[in-house]
């Protein structure tokens, strides 16, 4: 199975739906560690991405990816807008030139996106950011043999990574001002990454079942 423009658009819709359902829960996580806006901004960005993609005329996979990048950059705001935006922007060259993405094409997209996030945020695993969910998810995807195994792995690894932020103090983002008081709270950006991969995994299972 490959992911073409129609599937990519459907995948982003599935993400937007799930993030919208989790908006308040993500805001509550950010209220504990930051300013409480994370769910609202991430949900607005993915909804805008879906609308912008729907307005495209026969888009290629990279048209869709670029629209998502722009929506995230322009609509997410805050630290996470620039950082999530780097995920999409740095992944873009790996999407370009493909009519559809094989599992190994997608692996290249995810790896480039992760590098973009780490470079933009100057962040490594253990800093209590979205990287704590994204890095293990991408590593798990790379190990998998196919999409089904890959998405299953990313969802599980990202959730474990997000949960692992609970015991950490933060070295990046607003939460670093809290020092030890950040301990006991899950990082909202990491929870968003876990939610995204869970949405993709559920969408993929449904796609397989209906084919
Ligand atoms: P803001 O902090 O500007 O209000 P958000 O609330 O939308 O932005 O996003 C906060 C999330 O952004 C954090 O939970 C964290 O995962 C992520 N984040 C913040 N700074 C960095 C960074 N330097 N590198 C990676 N991720 C970061
Ligand atoms: Mg915030």
């Amino acid at each position: 199975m490959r992911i073409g423009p129609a599937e990519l658009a459907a995948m982003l819709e599935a993400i937007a739906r799930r993030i919208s359902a989790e908006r308040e829960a993500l805001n509550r996580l950010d209220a504990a560690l930051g300013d409480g806006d994370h769910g609202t901004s991430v949900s607005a960005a993915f909804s805008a991405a879906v609308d912008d993609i729907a307005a495209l005329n026969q888009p290629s996979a990279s048209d869709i990816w670029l629209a998502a990048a722009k929506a995230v950059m322009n609509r997410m705001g805050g630290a996470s807008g620039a950082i999530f935006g780097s995920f999409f922007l740095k992944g873009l060259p790996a999407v370009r030139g493909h009519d559809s993405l094989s599992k190994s094409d997608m692996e290249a997209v995810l790896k480039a996106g992760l590098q973009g996030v780490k470079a933009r945020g100057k962040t490594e695993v253990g800093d209590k950011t979205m990287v704590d969910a994204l890095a293990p998810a991408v590593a798990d995807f790379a190990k998998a043999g196919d999409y089904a195994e890959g998405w299953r792995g990313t969802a599980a690894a990202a959730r474990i990574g997000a949960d692992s932020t609970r015991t950490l103090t933060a070295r990046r983002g607003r939460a670093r001002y809290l020092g030890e008081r950040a301990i006991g709270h899950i990082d909202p950006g990491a929870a968003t990454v876990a939610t995204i991969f869970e949405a993709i995994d559920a969408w993929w299972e449904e796609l397989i079942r209906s084919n």
Side-chain angles (χ1 to χ4, degrees):
M1 282 278 287
R2 300 174 68 91
I3 294 185
E7 289 77 26
L8 210 48
M11 184 177 100
L12 285 156
E13 264 181 62
I15 293 169
R17 267 199 306 277
R18 182 76 67 118
I19 289 286
S20 164
E22 294 296 319
R23 183 177 56 219
E24 294 310 319
L26 293 168
N27 278 340
R28 281 195 294 276
L29 293 180
D30 194 33
L33 289 176
D35 55 358
D37 66 348
H38 183 69
T40 299
S41 53
V42 88
S43 171
F46 278 104
S47 294
V50 167
D51 291 347
D52 293 353
I53 289 162
L56 297 173
N57 183 25
Q58 302 206 328
S60 65
S62 67
D63 293 337
I64 290 173
W65 201 262
L66 177 61
K70 284 185 181 165
V72 167
M73 288 289 209
N74 298 333
R75 299 296 295 275
M76 203 175 286
S80 63
I83 294 166
F84 259 115
S86 315
F87 178 84
F88 284 98
L89 274 186
K90 296 298 172 187
L92 187 61
V95 179
R96 266 199 187 116
H98 295 290
D99 295 332
S100 65
L101 303 171
S102 68
K103 189 266 172 188
S104 65
D105 297 333
M106 183 61 80
E107 187 179 312
V109 175
L110 295 177
K111 283 181 170 168
L114 170 64
Q115 287 315 315
V117 168
K118 288 168 81 172
R120 177 72 207 223
K122 301 187 174 59
T123 314
E124 289 296 331
V125 168
D127 290 348
K128 196 177 179 104
T129 71
M130 61 176 84
V131 169
D132 290 358
L134 192 54
V138 173
D140 228 279
F141 189 88
K143 275 188 276 168
D146 61 12
Y147 266 127
E149 194 191 337
W151 294 135
R152 177 75 41 77
T154 60
R159 184 57 67 186
I160 290 169
D163 288 345
S164 79
T165 64
R166 188 189 287 280
T167 58
L168 302 174
T169 56
R171 282 193 285 264
R172 291 282 180 266
R174 292 178 197 276
R176 75 186 185 280
Y177 302 119
L178 293 177
E180 300 276 306
R181 280 177 294 143
I183 294 173
H185 302 286
I186 289 174
D187 176 68
T192 288
V193 169
T195 301
I196 288 172
F197 284 116
E198 285 166 359
I200 297 175
D201 181 39
W203 161 76
W204 186 260
E205 265 189 30
E206 190 54 44
L207 187 70
I208 296 295
R209 201 173 312 128
S210 62
N211 264 305

